[in-house]
Amino acid sequence: MRELGEFALIERINAGRVQAPGVLLGPGDDAAVVAAPDGRFVVTTDMLVQDRHFRLDWSDPRDIGRKAIAQNAADIVAMGAVPTAFVVALGCPADTPVEVIDGLTDGMWAEAGRAGGSIAGGDVVRSPQLVISVTAFGDLDGRAPITRAGARVGDTVAVAGRLGWSAAGLAALAAGVDRGDELVAEALAAHRVPRPPYAAVLAAIIDAAAGQVDSDTSAAGVLGSRQSAAAGTVGSSAAAMPTSLTDISDGLLADLGHIAEASAVAIDIGSTALRDPELEAIARRLDADATHWILTGGEDHAFVGTWSAQRELPPGWTPIGRVLAGHGVTVDGARRPGSGGWESFSGVDSASEPEPR
Amino acid sequence: MRELGEFALIERINAGRVQAPGVLLGPGDDAAVVAAPDGRFVVTTDMLVQDRHFRLDWSDPRDIGRKAIAQNAADIVAMGAVPTAFVVALGCPADTPVEVIDGLTDGMWAEAGRAGGSIAGGDVVRSPQLVISVTAFGDLDGRAPITRAGARVGDTVAVAGRLGWSAAGLAALAAGVDRGDELVAEALAAHRVPRPPYAAVLAAIIDAAAGQVDSDTSAAGVLGSRQSAAAGTVGSSAAAMPTSLTDISDGLLADLGHIAEASAVAIDIGSTALRDPELEAIARRLDADATHWILTGGEDHAFVGTWSAQRELPPGWTPIGRVLAGHGVTVDGARRPGSGGWESFSGVDSASEPEPR
């Protein structure tokens, strides 16, 4: 890295990359220009620090790059928006092998492409350890953002994507199991590279928007109007718009807690609906608790949302519970102690644990 | 910090803050929503690492926060865009006093307000040292972005803002001079908090746009059309649009080098126009070279641009040179050795030096 120099490095990072159509001006000037056809853009940012959020001896650089983009893209999708572009600030030691940077950036570009965007620009600086700071952008195409605040008493709670697999992979790594049978290998892969079901979530939202009778397409100041319109009217489509939505980054219970708090409701989920026999097989092998992984593991970047109980759930969504009057989150009607989710400044400093928003 | 916990910290950071009108949805959900009335947005990102880009014993947290926002806002303004919002990812050790975070965030909010925006969201994580990653957004209001690529042979080169004062302040700190006469105090203040002349630069651009005969206000895909239109037509306003523009973050010569390269031209500047008797007085005291500070110091975040020589320069801009055929940058017709500007992975590791884009 030191030998290459910064400007040559930036040139190397950007060489041969093809920008998404929404990136109107890419790297190379004081700033980039990104399309926002909606007249608004959705934005989120996350920082990942070496040995805190990832370890180079547990994940290869390409996987780390993919994960950094995936966790930001999942936040964009969790607002009901389509990812359009990313910018990345990268801190790295001067003796970082250039292959590590190549792997990181290749992984970032691969995942950006999977999510539907490209990397419009960034910054490279020297720092004592690798630090990756990603900012992601999305477009709502005239829809209201789907916040955590819209869940209503009686709604169905449902998840898209697998839960607990990344936590199982982390537990395997922590136990020194870095290979094993097919199931363990799958958990390790899930930990190294989350695969948030972007397309399934966005397809459901876009279908629901298309089916709404209230087809106002104005994009000016419609925070919430679409969402509330969706509540009462029955469109031509069978599928409904979620009333609330979030990605599971802190753990299912913690993230449901955010929905419950923002919506001023209680949520109860059923443990039976969450059971995963394959995950239980891995847990037995590692002498661990699969239910704990499912309820508190955050790094799968699955999605959880709430839907009117009068409407069909879209394909790819599994019902797991119900919105109730009150506050807090319960499992089978009971509060679960010690499952508050991840906080940055408490607890042990184990690498690769999920970060809250 | 550890005692407070992350969620309480985030609540504390956001308590009582008033968002700019363009922030449609602020902190607290998976992502924020920011207005982009132009149908596009300008975006830039910079990372600052403790003891590399700032030192807590040389600057107070509030000044560091201001500087982090200022250097990003300057990049937005350097594209001809009006700053609208910022997002900030912050890494900090668990034992960081909460007063340091309060100072950083107060400084960020103060400078965001000065630049015309607010802080729409962010992330807080644990890291071995302070890391501040800012992403800034701006709106072009229908104008073409002003890139580094539009300088034409014969254009006048001009600067807005002071040059070399931040470098003088850094030199004073490095020499152990942390107080002194009024001039040294001014240099120290300039180093601690840059004051990019956002308003002067934007006023000139907005005036020039208003004066253009070609008053097409379409925002769709106008990359370059406004700018090229500005070249040939004489509007009702006396002032012209810059043909190229950048903020001085790597040093005047290095940043002029970026314009020269992007525009495929040469640039010659005159040393007489750049002389600053007050800076020379400081340099004599520190046994240093004021011209070197002016030509290579980057942290003032002044602006340099090029204008048609047939038109008046707007108020606040000082002519310093001329665009010529050829390539490279010269001072009084001669190439200056050893003034290539700052690179992240070469040179000494002194704190508080400017970062290139």
Side-chain angles (χ1 to χ4, degrees):
Chain A
M1 183 78 76
R2 188 187 280 116
E3 290 158 34
L4 198 59
E6 187 201 0
F7 293 109
L9 177 66
I10 290 173
E11 208 161 286
R12 184 184 175 104
I13 286 172
N14 290 315
R17 307 291 188 189
V18 178
Q19 292 288 345
V23 177
L24 305 177
L25 183 67
D29 218 292
D30 293 297
V33 182
V34 176
D38 179 79
R40 305 165 297 176
F41 62 95
V42 176
V43 53
T44 184
T45 191
D46 268 330
M47 184 180 280
L48 286 84
V49 179
Q50 183 175 2
D51 296 330
R52 172 78 181 155
H53 306 103
F54 62 86
R55 285 171 52 160
L56 284 173
D57 55 339
W58 281 4
S59 298
D60 77 25
R62 189 181 158 85
D63 291 347
I64 295 163
R66 288 196 62 166
K67 186 181 264 191
I69 293 293
Q71 70 181 55
N72 280 279
D75 279 326
I76 295 296
V77 170
M79 300 300 286
V82 180
T84 53
F86 303 82
V87 295
V88 180
L90 181 64
C92 48
D95 60 0
T96 308
V98 74
E99 293 72 25
V100 170
I101 305 301
D102 286 347
L104 282 172
T105 52
D106 283 351
M108 288 178 188
W109 274 90
E111 190 67 19
R114 187 178 166 255
S118 64
I119 300 174
D123 189 23
V124 185
V125 303
R126 199 149 104 189
S127 67
Q129 66 291 120
L130 281 174
V131 182
I132 305 168
S133 187
V134 175
T135 305
F137 308 106
D139 188 72
L140 287 161
D141 193 23
R143 298 182 299 272
I146 304 171
T147 70
R148 300 169 179 168
R152 295 154 315 170
V153 173
D155 282 355
T156 301
V157 180
V159 294
R162 290 198 304 186
L163 296 174
W165 281 80
S166 178
L170 177 62
L173 285 169
V177 181
D178 64 355
R179 61 190 64 205
D181 58 23
E182 210 173 299
L183 287 179
V184 170
E186 204 173 324
L188 291 170
H191 176 68
R192 290 184 174 124
V193 183
R195 310 268 303 183
Y198 311 124
V201 174
L202 289 173
I205 289 165
I206 291 166
D207 279 358
Q212 280 177 19
V213 168
D214 172 19
S215 60
D216 172 16
T217 55
S218 155
V222 289
L223 276 174
S225 74
R226 275 299 185 91
Q227 215 163 323
S228 50
T233 56
V234 177
S236 57
S237 163
M241 192 69 86
T243 55
S244 71
L245 185 62
T246 192
D247 82 311
I248 302 170
S249 51
D250 300 347
L252 177 62
L253 290 183
D255 288 304
L256 282 175
H258 299 151
I259 287 181
E261 194 184 344
S263 300
V265 295
I267 289 175
D268 183 58
I269 57 174
S271 61
T272 310
L274 289 165
R275 285 192 61 175
D276 181 335
E278 292 182 328
L279 205 61
E280 286 167 9
I282 301 172
R284 276 192 299 276
R285 189 170 154 194
L286 295 172
D287 197 19
D289 177 5
T291 304
H292 185 73
W293 290 337
I294 289 169
L295 294 176
T296 65
E299 279 199 311
D300 297 288
H301 294 284
F303 296 86
V304 64
T306 55
W307 273 262
S308 164
Q310 274 74 56
R311 303 287 291 275
E312 263 179 54
L313 282 177
W317 289 87
T318 306
I320 61 163
R322 184 73 60 196
V323 178
L324 308 170
H327 57 91
V329 179
T330 48
V331 182
D332 302 327
R335 212 163 289 267
R336 226 182 125 86
S339 47
W342 168 259
E343 280 223 8
S344 272
F345 298 97
S346 57
V348 291
D349 196 358
S350 61
S352 286
E353 291 205 35
E355 262 317 307
R357 288 305 71 77
Chain B
M1 181 77 72
R2 187 187 283 116
E3 289 158 35
L4 198 58
E6 187 201 359
F7 293 109
L9 178 66
I10 290 172
E11 209 161 284
R12 184 184 176 106
I13 287 172
N14 290 316
R17 308 290 187 188
V18 179
Q19 292 288 346
V23 177
L24 305 177
L25 184 67
D29 218 292
D30 293 297
V33 183
V34 176
D38 179 78
R40 305 165 297 177
F41 60 96
V42 176
V43 52
T44 183
T45 191
D46 268 330
M47 182 179 281
L48 285 83
V49 180
Q50 184 175 359
D51 295 330
R52 172 80 180 155
H53 306 104
F54 62 86
R55 286 172 52 160
L56 284 172
D57 55 340
W58 282 3
S59 299
D60 78 24
R62 189 180 156 86
D63 291 346
I64 295 163
R66 289 196 60 165
K67 186 182 263 191
I69 294 292
Q71 70 182 52
N72 280 279
D75 278 326
I76 295 296
V77 170
M79 300 300 286
V82 179
T84 53
F86 303 82
V87 294
V88 180
L90 182 64
C92 48
D95 60 358
T96 307
V98 74
E99 293 73 25
V100 169
I101 306 300
D102 287 347
L104 281 174
T105 51
D106 283 353
M108 287 177 189
W109 274 89
E111 189 67 20
R114 188 177 166 256
S118 65
I119 299 173
D123 189 24
V124 185
V125 303
R126 199 150 104 188
S127 65
Q129 70 289 318
L130 282 173
V131 182
I132 306 167
S133 186
V134 175
T135 305
F137 309 107
D139 187 72
L140 287 162
D141 192 23
R143 298 181 300 273
I146 304 172
T147 70
R148 300 170 178 167
R152 295 154 312 170
V153 173
D155 281 356
T156 301
V157 179
V159 294
R162 289 198 307 185
L163 297 175
W165 282 79
S166 178
L170 177 62
L173 285 167
V177 181
D178 65 355
R179 61 190 62 205
D181 57 23
E182 210 173 298
L183 286 180
V184 170
E186 205 174 321
L188 291 170
H191 176 69
R192 289 184 174 123
V193 184
R195 308 270 301 182
Y198 311 124
V201 173
L202 290 173
I205 290 166
I206 291 166
D207 279 0
Q212 280 177 18
V213 169
D214 172 19
S215 61
D216 172 19
T217 55
S218 155
V222 291
L223 274 174
S225 74
R226 274 300 186 90
Q227 215 165 323
S228 50
T233 56
V234 177
S236 57
S237 163
M241 192 68 88
T243 54
S244 72
L245 184 63
T246 191
D247 82 311
I248 301 170
S249 52
D250 300 347
L252 178 62
L253 291 183
D255 287 305
L256 282 175
H258 299 152
I259 288 182
E261 193 184 344
S263 300
V265 295
I267 289 175
D268 183 58
I269 57 175
S271 60
T272 310
L274 289 164
R275 286 192 62 176
D276 181 336
E278 292 182 329
L279 205 62
E280 286 167 10
I282 302 172
R284 276 192 299 275
R285 197 179 145 187
L286 295 171
D287 197 20
D289 177 6
T291 305
H292 185 74
W293 290 338
I294 289 170
L295 294 177
T296 65
E299 277 199 311
D300 297 289
H301 292 285
F303 296 86
V304 64
T306 55
W307 273 265
S308 164
Q310 273 75 56
R311 304 287 291 276
E312 263 179 53
L313 283 176
W317 289 88
T318 306
I320 60 161
R322 183 74 59 196
V323 178
L324 307 171
H327 58 91
V329 178
T330 49
V331 182
D332 302 326
R335 213 162 288 268
R336 227 180 123 87
S339 47
W342 169 258
E343 279 222 9
S344 272
F345 297 96
S346 55
V348 293
D349 197 358
S350 61
S352 285
E353 292 204 33
E355 261 318 306
R357 290 303 70 75

